[in-house]
Amino acid sequence: WRRFRGHMEWTWDSLIHNTKVWIFFTRCLLKTSRSRFFADGQMKAEEKQGIGNWIADQLLALGPTFIKVGQLLSTRTDILPREYLIPLSQLQDRVPDFEVDHVHDTIEEELGAPVWAIFDEFEDIPIAAASLAQVHRATRYGKMYAVKVQRPGLWRMFLRDTRNLELASICMDFIDAKRDGVARNWKGLSRESQKLLFEELDFIHERDCARRFRKQFERVPWIRVPKVHESLSGRKVLTMDFLPSEKITDIDKIEAIGLDRKKIARQMGSCFLQQLLRHGFFHADPHPGNVGVDTKG
C-alpha cells in the first residue's frame, strides 16, 4: 500500500477523481458479475451490449487514460465478450477536443515560436481528436500539413490513473472467478497498458517509428506513409504531410471514387504480411481512424 500511497495525489480534485474511478470499478464489477461469477447466470447478447455501452460512456467521462485503456481492450477478444468490444471500439470516434489556447501554447513551447510565425495558415478547429492528442490542418509555404498536438497535463494524469489501474488489477486477479474458462491476467494487462501509455506520450519515439515505417515501404507505390518533419516536431508536437483520404470502413465513399474493395482487401493483407514477415516492424494500432485509402493508395 505504501507504494501506491506515495504516488497518489492527495488534493481535492484528485480525491474526487479517484473516488469516481473506484465507484466505476465497483459498479462495473457488479454489472458484469452475474455472467462472470455464476455458472447459471448467462446474460443475453442485448444485455451485454447495454453494459458495453455503459462502460464506454463511463470511460469517456473518466478522461484520456481510461479512453485509451478502453481502446486497448477493444481488440482483446481473449479477455472481453464481443458484445463489450463493439462499444469500446467506437471510443476512437467519440473523444472531445480540447481548447485551442492549449494547442497554441504547446506548439510555442515545443517549437520555440508562436503558431502565426511558423505556419502561414492554421485551422483552430481540429480535423480529428483522440485520447492523447488532436490533429489540426496547417499550411506553410503553400504545402499542407497535419499537426498532431498532445493534450495538456497527460503525464501527471497518467501517473495518477495508472496507480488506480494497477491496484484495481491486483483486486481483479484476486476476485475473478474465471469460471468462463478464460485465464485472465489482469495485473499483466495493467503493466502492458502502462508501458504503452507512457511510450505514446513521447512523440520523438513516434517520429522515429514513423520514419522507419515509411522507409520500409518507400519502394511500394500503393502504400503511402506521411513524411514527418523533424524541424516542426517535438516531444508534444508532431508535424507530417497531410494526405487526404477516405476512411477504410466508409464503403459508400470508397465505391463513389471507383475503388475496388476486393483489391483493397488483397493489398491490405499483403501490406500487413510484409510488415510482419519481411520487416518485423508493424503498425500496432490499425483501427479505421488510422488507415485511409484514395485513388493513389
Side-chain angles (χ1 to χ4, degrees), residues 161-212:
D161 287 337
T162 53
R163 299 304 170 186
N164 280 318
L165 288 169
E166 187 165 355
L167 189 55
S169 70
I170 293 172
C171 296
M172 284 301 297
D173 276 333
F174 179 73
I175 65 178
D176 190 351
K178 298 181 175 69
R179 290 187 178 178
D180 53 5
V182 179
R184 287 171 287 269
N185 179 1
W186 293 104
K187 189 174 181 180
L189 178 64
S190 172
R191 294 280 172 85
E192 177 188 349
S193 298
Q194 288 183 47
K195 179 176 178 291
L196 292 172
L197 284 170
F198 283 105
E199 277 186 356
E200 289 197 40
L201 286 184
D202 186 0
F203 284 4
I204 299 296
H205 175 70
E206 183 174 344
R207 178 203 69 191
D208 294 342
C209 289
R211 275 178 173 171
R212 178 179 172 183

Side-chain angles (χ1 to χ4, degrees), residues 131-144:
S131 54
L132 306 187
Q134 63 190 36
V135 179
H136 293 258
R137 198 158 32 201
T139 305
R140 176 181 166 94
Y141 301 136
K143 186 173 182 179
M144 192 169 288

Side-chain angles (χ1 to χ4, degrees), residues 8-287:
M8 291 291 189
E9 293 181 70
W10 298 110
T11 64
W12 279 114
D13 287 344
S14 64
L15 186 60
I16 292 170
H17 177 79
N18 291 337
T19 301
K20 289 179 180 179
V21 169
W22 284 96
I23 289 174
F24 162 70
F25 282 144
T26 304
R27 292 183 66 191
C28 189
L29 185 62
L30 291 173
K31 282 178 175 288
T32 59
S33 62
R34 186 152 59 86
S35 64
R36 177 69 57 80
F37 295 102
F38 303 103
D40 58 346
Q42 297 301 318
M43 289 185 184
K44 294 181 179 179
E46 295 81 3
E47 191 175 355
K48 287 183 179 180
Q49 184 93 32
I51 293 174
N53 288 328
W54 177 83
I55 291 174
D57 289 341
Q58 295 300 307
L59 293 176
L60 194 64
L62 287 173
T65 310
F66 291 91
I67 294 170
K68 191 64 182 178
V69 169
Q71 291 172 345
L72 292 171
L73 286 173
S74 71
T75 62
R76 297 298 298 267
T77 55
D78 57 323
I79 293 177
L80 298 177
R82 186 176 64 86
E83 292 84 0
Y84 293 173
L85 301 182
I86 295 173
L88 291 179
S89 66
Q90 295 170 353
L91 280 172
Q92 64 202 27
D93 296 321
R94 298 176 57 192
V95 184
D97 57 328
F98 57 92
E99 294 181 6
V100 71
D101 288 344
H102 291 306
V103 173
H104 285 240
D105 290 344
T106 301
I107 291 175
E108 184 169 354
E109 178 186 335
E110 289 290 312
L111 304 186
V115 170
W116 59 265
I118 300 171
F119 300 104
D120 300 327
E121 295 180 19
F122 187 90
E123 296 182 10
D124 285 342
I125 299 175
I127 57 175
S131 54
L132 306 187
Q134 63 190 36
V135 179
H136 293 258
R137 198 158 32 201
T139 305
R140 176 181 166 94
Y141 301 136
K143 186 173 182 179
M144 192 169 288
Y145 297 91
V147 184
K148 181 178 178 180
V149 183
Q150 191 175 115
R151 289 180 177 273
L154 282 184
W155 184 271
R156 187 178 180 184
M157 195 182 302
F158 278 9
L159 283 175
R160 176 191 64 193
D161 287 337
T162 53
R163 299 304 170 186
N164 280 318
L165 288 169
E166 187 165 355
L167 189 55
S169 70
I170 293 172
C171 296
M172 284 301 297
D173 276 333
F174 179 73
I175 65 178
D176 190 351
K178 298 181 175 69
R179 290 187 178 178
D180 53 5
V182 179
R184 287 171 287 269
N185 179 1
W186 293 104
K187 189 174 181 180
L189 178 64
S190 172
R191 294 280 172 85
E192 177 188 349
S193 298
Q194 288 183 47
K195 179 176 178 291
L196 292 172
L197 284 170
F198 283 105
E199 277 186 356
E200 289 197 40
L201 286 184
D202 186 0
F203 284 4
I204 299 296
H205 175 70
E206 183 174 344
R207 178 203 69 191
D208 294 342
C209 289
R211 275 178 173 171
R212 178 179 172 183
F213 193 82
R214 186 171 188 269
K215 184 173 179 58
Q216 71 188 23
F217 288 114
E218 61 186 358
R219 297 184 180 179
V220 184
W222 48 270
I223 299 177
R224 296 194 299 150
V225 181
K227 180 182 179 181
V228 175
H229 298 271
E230 184 173 356
S231 62
L232 300 174
S233 301
R235 291 200 176 276
K236 297 180 181 180
V237 176
L238 195 65
T239 302
M240 62 197 80
D241 291 344
F242 179 73
L243 299 181
S245 62
E246 304 298 344
K247 208 171 183 178
I248 193 72
T249 53
D250 197 334
I251 304 302
D252 291 338
K253 288 186 178 178
I254 287 174
E255 291 185 338
I257 59 177
L259 297 178
D260 184 343
R261 285 189 290 161
K262 291 183 178 179
K263 183 179 179 181
I264 292 173
R266 286 195 300 269
Q267 289 183 329
M268 283 285 290
S270 171
C271 176
F272 278 97
L273 286 173
Q274 289 181 58
Q275 293 174 46
L276 293 168
L277 303 179
R278 177 175 296 171
H279 303 289
F281 186 76
F282 56 90
H283 194 315
D285 193 22
H287 64 70

